């Protein structure tokens, strides 16, 4: 069973930055694929960023493109989300998830394509 844990959330002012981290353990697949989602109160879960092909391939939601950057550390089996120029609209609980190894991920990201989820880390942005 894969265990996923996020960290790095917090409270920042608009225009500030945060760096989220995610670590996955217990996976036996050689090429783990991981993504970030976010869910704000009253809103549907939204795919934010995804990394694959050993870190070469990336995908971003239009709402964060140019401001967020996803990266990975293959040795640590971790992924990161650098979030810059944060706005109040970015305030959410952010979740890290591991793609099902038998599934091909589609875009925009779909929750059903991911099988292991972290408990989430909260991001608050003040004006």
């Amino acid at each position: 069973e894969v265990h996923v844990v996020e960290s790095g959330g917090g409270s920042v002012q608009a225009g500030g930055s945060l760096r989220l981290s995610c670590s996955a353990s217990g996976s036996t697949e050689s090429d783990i694929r991981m993504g970030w989602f976010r869910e704000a109160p009253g809103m549907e879960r939204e795919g934010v960023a995804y990394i694959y092909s050993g870190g070469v391939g990336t995908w971003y939601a239009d709402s964060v493109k140019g401001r967020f950057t996803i990266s990975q550390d293959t040795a640590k089996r971790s992924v990161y989300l650098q979030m810059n120029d944060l706005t109040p609209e970015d305030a959410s609980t952010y979740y890290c998830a591991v793609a099902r190894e038998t599934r091909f991920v589609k875009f925009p990201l779909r929750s059903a394509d991911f099988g292991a989820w972290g408990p989430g880390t909260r991001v608050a942005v003040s004006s």
Side-chain angles (χ1 to χ4, degrees):
E1 182 176 349
V2 180
H3 181 66
V4 181
V5 178
E6 309 98 337
S7 63
S11 180
V12 298
Q13 295 183 358
S17 298
L18 283 173
R19 186 172 187 257
L20 306 183
S21 299
C22 173
S23 179
S25 61
S27 175
T28 59
E29 61 179 310
S30 59
D31 187 19
I32 191 168
R33 299 164 294 143
M34 304 176 71
W36 288 94
F37 293 75
R38 65 186 182 185
E39 186 173 337
M43 303 292 290
E44 293 184 348
R45 186 175 298 175
E46 174 190 21
V48 176
Y50 177 64
I51 191 164
Y52 59 100
S53 297
V56 175
T58 58
W59 173 91
Y60 299 94
D62 288 342
S63 59
V64 307
K65 192 174 299 181
R67 299 186 297 118
F68 290 11
T69 303
I70 189 170
S71 61
Q72 72 174 42
D73 184 328
T74 55
K76 296 181 178 180
R77 191 161 287 202
S78 299
V79 295
Y80 310 93
L81 187 67
Q82 179 66 45
M83 306 186 295
N84 297 328
D85 299 319
L86 287 164
T87 72
E89 287 70 38
D90 296 316
S92 291
T93 298
Y94 283 74
Y95 298 91
C96 178
V98 178
R100 300 179 186 272
E101 58 181 309
T102 59
R103 300 279 289 272
F104 290 102
V105 171
K106 306 297 183 183
F107 307 110
L109 297 183
R110 304 179 303 182
S111 296
D113 289 337
F114 294 77
W117 296 78
T121 184
R122 290 186 176 183
V123 172
V125 184
S126 61
S127 301

